[in-house]
Amino acid sequence: MSGPTTAVLIEDPVAVLMAAAGIRAAQTIQQGYRQSAELASRHETQQARLRDQIQAADQGGIQSLQIQIREAETQLNHLLTLSHRTDGAEQRTAGLPHAPDRSGPADSRDELATYLVALKNYNADIKSILLTAAASHMELDSWDPGFDTDHPEVQWDQPDAAPDHGTSPGAAEELQRTVGVNRLLARIAHLGDTPEPIRELVRQLAKHIPDERRELLISELRREIQFTLEKHQQRQVQEASALILRQTLNDLGYQVDSFSDTLFVDGGVVHFRRHGWGDYRVRLRVNEKTHTLNFNVIRAVRNASNERSVLDHLAEDRWCAEFPALLKAMEARGLSMNVTRRLEAGELPVQRVDIDQLPAMADDDVRHGDAPLKTLESD
């Protein structure tokens, strides 16, 4: 294989989200340690928030930071243990973001504070991922994710004239229904604002209505909650996939043009190349409807020249030799690509694209993009 290639994207949702969380944690550490001018200019808002978080974390000195770090690491180990109980766990690699030398001098305090912020953010991401995964797969009327959710039981509005519960059978049934609705709502409490369709169902359930009508509303509430969870996870996975693609290409040493986090939501085109490829690039086209990725080598030309080059075949063969490394790296982060179509080098002419229609790429290798990250320690 070295010509145009089509692959179907197959995701392990939890693995993808955990990999993206690890990348974000590593980026937080990288930004906090280096505070580079490039990152500061490209992520000014994120940098300001990071500085505020670090200052808040750095209140009690080295000893306080070390205690908080140990507590956060203990919590993360517990979360990772829980994550291994979900489907596909054997495919995931997870661990702690790289920590600074805790035995260093006092001026390492900022590094410890940065690491603590990254660790807490990582824990929050992992907890939210596991809450969504658990809520999506557990029995609808049973909610026990296996750890403290940090969300109080969600209370729904009661009728204006609430009955005296006492010991009457009617009061006991009313209380049981209340607990049942609250348990359903607790499944999406970690997502933030409750969607209006669910709010309306809860308002209807708070009224005095016949049992038959109540059962229909409860069934509808279950469906809406399940739909909300699935929609949230799908969007999170799509955005995480874009982050993983960008970082994986950078880790492999490619220069990548900019693309949106909604690449897998809206579809689009990405170009990447290595320093020294000259006029050649790989074009990646994402079709969000068919969930496919199409790769092909292109050559940037002036004035839409139709001239064929003897280097075209070599450029395709070179990409052929590198493609398996991309497949392996993406799979390690939960994104498998099942190749469904591939053509041999020279079977179709290398597409020639006017250079003015392509994103500008600097000749200074990957410094144009994000720096490679080693996101997680190996087990």
Side-chain angles (χ1 to χ4, degrees):
M1 180 282 298
S2 52
T5 304
T6 301
V8 176
L9 194 64
I10 303 171
E11 303 138 335
D12 174 350
V14 175
V16 168
L17 293 172
M18 288 180 66
I23 291 172
R24 287 192 294 270
Q27 288 176 339
T28 296
I29 291 175
Q30 183 184 75
Q31 292 171 37
Y33 286 1
R34 299 180 182 178
Q35 295 288 308
S36 71
E38 179 186 0
L39 286 171
S41 63
R42 291 173 57 204
H43 305 287
E44 183 175 350
T45 301
Q46 184 176 345
Q47 283 291 87
R49 187 182 303 116
L50 176 59
R51 284 193 295 270
D52 291 342
Q53 289 177 316
I54 292 173
Q55 290 172 1
D58 185 15
Q59 294 293 327
I62 294 289
Q63 185 175 6
S64 174
L65 286 170
Q66 290 176 335
I67 292 172
Q68 292 181 72
I69 286 172
R70 284 195 294 270
E71 291 174 349
E73 288 176 344
T74 298
Q75 181 188 38
L76 178 56
N77 284 329
H78 176 56
L79 291 170
L80 295 179
T81 298
L82 291 173
S83 77
H84 294 157
R85 301 176 186 174
T86 58
D87 294 339
E90 68 281 355
Q91 299 179 12
R92 301 177 194 135
T93 56
L96 301 176
H98 280 284
D101 181 6
R102 302 182 203 179
S103 61
D107 61 6
S108 66
R109 185 172 60 184
D110 288 346
E111 291 188 356
L112 288 173
T114 297
Y115 175 64
L116 176 60
V117 168
L119 198 54
K120 286 184 174 181
N121 290 344
Y122 189 42
N123 282 350
D125 281 347
I126 299 300
K127 179 179 284 190
S128 179
I129 292 165
L130 295 181
L131 280 168
T132 300
S136 299
H137 293 94
M138 292 178 64
E139 291 295 327
L140 287 173
D141 293 321
S142 175
W143 175 234
D144 180 13
F147 56 89
D148 181 12
T149 64
D150 290 334
H151 293 287
E153 188 174 46
V154 181
Q155 297 297 321
W156 56 303
D157 295 335
Q158 295 297 306
D160 294 335
D164 179 12
H165 293 308
T167 57
S168 67
E173 291 176 4
E174 181 70 21
L175 179 61
Q176 184 176 9
R177 285 194 292 265
T178 301
V179 171
V181 171
N182 286 337
R183 192 176 291 274
L184 286 172
L185 294 176
R187 294 160 58 89
I188 57 171
H190 65 289
L191 301 184
D193 293 338
T194 304
E196 180 55 31
I198 293 178
R199 290 178 179 273
E200 177 58 28
L201 287 169
V202 170
R203 285 193 288 267
Q204 294 297 318
L205 284 165
K207 300 177 181 179
H208 291 295
I209 54 178
D211 288 345
E212 182 178 350
R213 171 64 175 164
R214 184 179 299 277
E215 289 302 317
L216 290 174
L217 289 174
I218 288 289
S219 296
E220 182 63 22
L221 179 61
R222 291 194 186 98
R223 285 193 294 269
E224 284 292 335
I225 287 175
Q226 189 67 30
F227 172 76
T228 298
L229 287 164
E230 292 173 356
K231 184 178 179 181
H232 171 80
Q233 187 183 67
Q234 181 186 40
R235 180 72 182 215
Q236 293 294 99
V237 168
Q238 289 170 328
E239 294 181 356
S241 298
L243 174 61
I244 288 172
L245 174 64
R246 182 186 298 111
Q247 192 59 56
T248 301
L249 289 171
N250 277 288
D251 287 348
L252 293 174
Y254 293 105
Q255 180 187 0
V256 189
D257 64 20
S258 61
F259 59 89
S260 169
D261 289 341
T262 62
L263 176 67
F264 291 91
V265 179
D266 304 322
V269 176
V270 177
H271 299 92
F272 58 94
R273 71 176 185 187
R274 289 194 189 278
H275 179 64
W277 277 16
D279 296 331
Y280 293 94
R281 311 179 188 194
V282 174
R283 171 175 283 177
L284 166 58
R285 187 181 299 276
V286 175
N287 187 321
E288 79 285 1
K289 295 180 180 179
T290 60
H291 222 49
T292 55
L293 289 76
N294 293 278
F295 299 86
N296 65 289
V297 175
I298 65 170
R299 178 157 61 97
V301 297
R302 292 287 182 188
N303 302 319
S305 169
N306 290 322
E307 177 188 358
R308 299 191 67 173
S309 170
V310 294
L311 298 177
D312 288 357
H313 200 299
L314 295 176
E316 288 190 304
D317 282 343
R318 177 176 56 202
W319 168 237
C320 171
E322 297 186 12
F323 185 58
L326 177 61
L327 290 177
K328 184 177 180 180
M330 294 282 282
E331 185 176 8
R333 286 169 164 164
L335 289 171
S336 300
M337 289 186 282
N338 180 27
V339 176
T340 58
R341 171 181 175 266
R342 55 189 180 187
L343 302 178
E344 296 302 325
E347 193 167 336
L348 290 177
V350 167
Q351 184 180 359
R352 288 170 291 283
V353 180
D354 194 298
I355 194 169
D356 292 332
Q357 298 178 9
L358 293 170
M361 283 191 174
D363 291 327
D364 56 357
D365 206 358
V366 297
R367 286 190 298 276
H368 176 75
D370 294 327
L373 296 176
K374 183 176 178 61
T375 58
L376 302 174
E377 293 177 354
S378 300
D379 293 333

